[in-house]
Amino acid sequence: MTGERVPIGRRVAYLRVRRKLSQQTFADRLGKSKSWVDKVERGVRSLERLSTIREVAAVLRVDAATLLGHDARPAEVAERDEGVARIRAALSTYGMTAGRDASPDRLAQAVAHAWDTYRHARYPQLMEQLPALLTDVQRGQARDPRAGRAVVVDAYRVAAALLTKLDEASLGWLAADRAMAAAAGDRVLLACAAVQLGPVLRASARARSVLMAAAYRVAPRDSDSGTPQELSLCGTLLAQAALTAARAGDGRVAGDLLDEAAEMAARVGDGHDHCRTAFGPAAVDVARVVAAVERGDGAEAVARHEAAIAGDGWRWLPLEHRAAHLVDAARAYLMVGDAERAAKALARAERLAPAEIRHRPTARALLAQVTGHPGAAARLASLARPSAID
């Protein structure tokens, strides 16, 4: 909805649909009739009173300026900002809100569903789910800090994963830190929580030592007899430590750590998601691509990417993981001056998981860079111009 000024009725209809509200439900929440809503959306009835505009905006969870068209942000950006604000508010409740405690079974199911939503890269839906989920988790944790710790850790982990994806590093760190605190005293849970610290701390000088300490704490004494969970956690943390080493320019250490992770991955195999890691040989292969990108070696990154996606293990990675990797591959192609293949990688990522491109700031910035290049595919231009609510 870009270009000339959009009538407020069309704006109301657009936002109502994005909120998955029927006309009847929307009307009920406003205390109006369905006919009234229909006339407003078709422009037959105008919205003139400021008090009514504010009521409509409140039900749609936007501010009045957005409803009036004074906010020129793309719809995806506005949606992301609103979602992050709600998650921030939920993280600030500290279990102090009144309400009925969720049963342990229902909470575990809700956390599992949140992870499934994340793995399928349905970020807008997860932004809708997380505030209530975090509130329930924190309420239960305030009542009994030791009960259901694995579920608490998993809830904060998925929040950290999403917030890091959305470039909300400070909030992502807060969620990861909450996971670490909830896991204290349990080496497996601590390793699970530390998995989300990797992406948050990657630019930190201390990140490598933190990740390696967590990895070796959960490592089995004998890798031949280690459980798949231990091997997956240790291998994932070593791979993340390798990426911090690569970013710091230490290619030798990065390579050694990835080789160590690869040995563990071979014992685990592809097609598993032990402890929410999706660890296996394919995961290590794509980590080598990222390490090459971090070191600035575009040629190696491209070669490793093309080998990785040709392997059988590629299709076993979660949609989110594959789409994120294709964004990294696009970076690699740009490094070697191949904007056309960078565009193809982004287009493929968008087909796999549209939200990876439309809601992830890093991907949007890369998309803008690619579409501005003479060699980019023309059809990517539509992806670079997200719908706007002005």
Side-chain angles (χ1 to χ4, degrees):
M1 297 174 68
T2 57
E4 62 184 34
R5 182 69 61 187
V6 176
I8 191 170
R10 282 185 57 199
R11 192 182 309 279
V12 169
Y14 172 78
L15 290 167
R16 175 182 62 76
V17 172
R18 289 190 73 85
R19 293 288 176 259
K20 298 182 175 62
L21 297 173
S22 67
Q23 283 190 334
Q24 186 62 63
T25 302
F26 184 48
D28 291 344
R29 293 186 183 182
L30 284 170
K32 304 287 187 181
S33 68
K34 180 181 177 182
S35 173
W36 184 90
V37 171
D38 182 66
K39 289 177 180 178
V40 167
E41 293 185 347
R42 290 190 292 114
V44 175
R45 185 184 187 109
S46 62
L47 285 178
E48 296 176 349
R49 295 180 60 183
L50 184 57
S51 60
T52 303
I53 291 172
R54 286 174 176 166
E55 290 173 4
V56 171
V59 172
L60 293 172
R61 300 203 303 273
V62 298
D63 56 35
T66 297
L67 197 59
L68 290 167
H70 299 157
D71 183 351
R73 294 176 300 167
E76 290 85 356
V77 175
E79 184 177 25
R80 185 175 67 236
D81 290 349
E82 292 162 15
V84 169
R86 291 194 297 274
I87 295 170
R88 180 183 290 108
L91 284 169
S92 301
T93 64
Y94 293 96
M96 301 299 181
T97 57
R100 185 176 180 180
D101 289 346
S103 70
D105 287 345
R106 190 179 74 80
L107 201 53
Q109 290 172 1
V111 171
H113 180 59
W115 271 106
D116 188 57
T117 304
Y118 178 77
R119 290 304 194 200
H120 284 84
R122 297 169 184 154
Y123 308 139
Q125 292 91 324
L126 185 53
M127 281 189 279
E128 291 285 337
Q129 296 171 26
L130 272 177
L133 176 60
L134 291 171
T135 298
D136 285 345
V137 164
Q138 291 173 147
R139 187 183 293 126
Q141 194 179 19
R143 179 175 50 79
D144 185 352
R146 307 298 295 180
R149 287 202 298 159
V151 172
V152 173
V153 170
D154 255 1
Y156 283 127
R157 283 182 64 194
V158 73
L162 176 67
L163 290 164
T164 304
K165 180 79 68 173
L166 300 178
D167 279 4
E168 294 289 337
S170 296
L171 271 186
W173 181 87
L174 173 61
D177 186 63
R178 295 265 183 93
M180 293 291 289
D186 186 310
R187 71 184 187 95
V188 173
L189 285 181
L190 276 170
C192 289
V195 167
Q196 261 51 62
L197 280 177
V200 174
L201 297 178
R202 190 167 295 169
S204 168
R206 294 188 57 200
R208 192 192 316 176
S209 61
V210 170
L211 293 168
M212 290 178 66
Y216 292 129
R217 185 171 180 177
V218 79
R221 292 184 179 180
D222 180 358
S223 60
D224 289 329
S225 60
T227 67
Q229 291 79 11
E230 290 172 333
L231 293 170
S232 296
L233 286 168
C234 185
T236 297
L237 290 165
L238 290 176
Q240 291 186 356
L243 299 184
T244 66
R247 174 169 287 194
D250 198 337
R252 182 185 60 80
V253 170
D256 290 345
L257 290 171
L258 285 168
D259 287 344
E260 190 173 352
E263 292 177 7
M264 296 182 181
R267 292 183 172 87
V268 174
D270 283 317
H272 305 288
D273 191 21
H274 299 298
C275 301
R276 320 286 191 193
T277 60
F279 182 72
V284 177
D285 288 343
V286 300
R288 291 188 191 277
V289 176
V290 181
V293 170
E294 294 285 8
R295 295 198 322 271
D297 191 336
E300 180 184 337
V302 166
R304 288 191 178 279
H305 158 68
E306 293 177 353
I309 63 173
D312 292 337
W314 166 254
R315 65 188 177 89
W316 291 109
L317 290 173
L319 282 176
E320 172 273 328
H321 204 145
R322 280 182 278 164
H325 171 71
L326 289 167
V327 173
D328 290 322
R331 292 170 60 198
Y333 282 125
L334 279 183
M335 284 180 173
V336 298
D338 194 336
E340 185 174 355
R341 284 200 288 176
K344 289 180 179 178
L346 291 176
R348 185 176 181 183
E350 200 274 340
R351 289 195 300 272
L352 279 175
E356 185 74 23
I357 300 299
R358 297 186 178 276
H359 288 81
R360 185 181 173 195
T362 297
R364 292 220 61 83
L366 184 62
L367 181 64
Q369 185 180 354
V370 171
T371 53
H373 197 286
R379 60 193 172 94
L380 280 187
S382 62
L383 292 181
R385 292 194 299 271
S387 57
I389 52 177
D390 64 337

